[in-house]
Amino acid sequence: MKLSTKILATVLLVAGGSSAVYAVGKHGDWHMSAAEKAEFVGDRVAGKLDLDAAQRQNLDSLTGLVAGIMNEAANRRQENYTELSKLLETETFDQSRALELVQSKTSLVNEKAPQVIASLAIFLDSLNAEQKQQLQEIIEHRSGHRHHRH
């Protein structure tokens, strides 16, 4: 194989591999369940922070709780779409029913927030200073990416 062919093949392999990694990282969770997303995030965080068994258990508890809330919200979402469709079909828009739909959605967040905060606190309190710094850097890095997407 000629040197130029080897170089071209290497460049194409690197570009193709990079594109695949980017696509999976950006779009890989489109068809994941809440539990799969929670496991994926848990594995990524655990790998980056080098968690011990107790810390991993705290993280799994947190991600499991969030996955449960995501499932509950998804179940309610279809009901809300059905209700909203009914509201749009009526002669006059029922503002009080629409407000009830919004309040039911926000009530889930309000109801579950103390549990999520408590679980988050247990996880964060189990981290050492270096892990907390790494987590802060990850959050800042992820936050920076989101601001530049639009």
Side-chain angles (χ1 to χ4, degrees), residues 51-71:
L51 301 179
D52 63 27
Q55 291 169 327
R56 179 59 198 238
Q57 185 176 9
N58 292 338
L59 178 61
D60 288 344
S61 176
L62 174 62
T63 57
L65 178 62
V66 172
I69 294 168
M70 289 171 63
N71 279 332

Side-chain angles (χ1 to χ4, degrees), residues 2 8-9 24 29-30 35 40 43 45-46 61 75-76 78 95 99 110 118 121 126 131-133 138:
K2 293 182 186 177
L8 181 60
V24 168
D29 69 335
W30 278 0
F40 177 79
D43 289 344
V45 170
S61 176
N75 292 339
R76 289 185 182 187
Q78 185 57 48
Q95 294 179 35
L99 183 58
N110 292 333
S126 71
Q131 290 169 321
K132 287 181 181 180
Q133 179 61 37
I138 291 168

Side-chain angles (χ1 to χ4, degrees), residues 7-67:
I7 292 172
L8 181 60
T10 303
V11 168
L12 289 175
L13 283 173
V14 169
S18 299
S19 298
V21 168
Y22 174 78
V24 168
K26 184 170 175 76
H27 303 294
D29 69 335
W30 278 0
H31 301 292
M32 286 183 174
S33 69
E36 291 169 330
K37 288 178 188 178
E39 182 180 348
F40 177 79
V41 169
D43 289 344
R44 297 244 344 198
V45 170
K48 289 184 181 283
L49 298 181
D50 193 29
L51 301 179
D52 63 27
Q55 291 169 327
R56 179 59 198 238
Q57 185 176 9
N58 292 338
L59 178 61
D60 288 344
S61 176
L62 174 62
T63 57
L65 178 62
V66 172

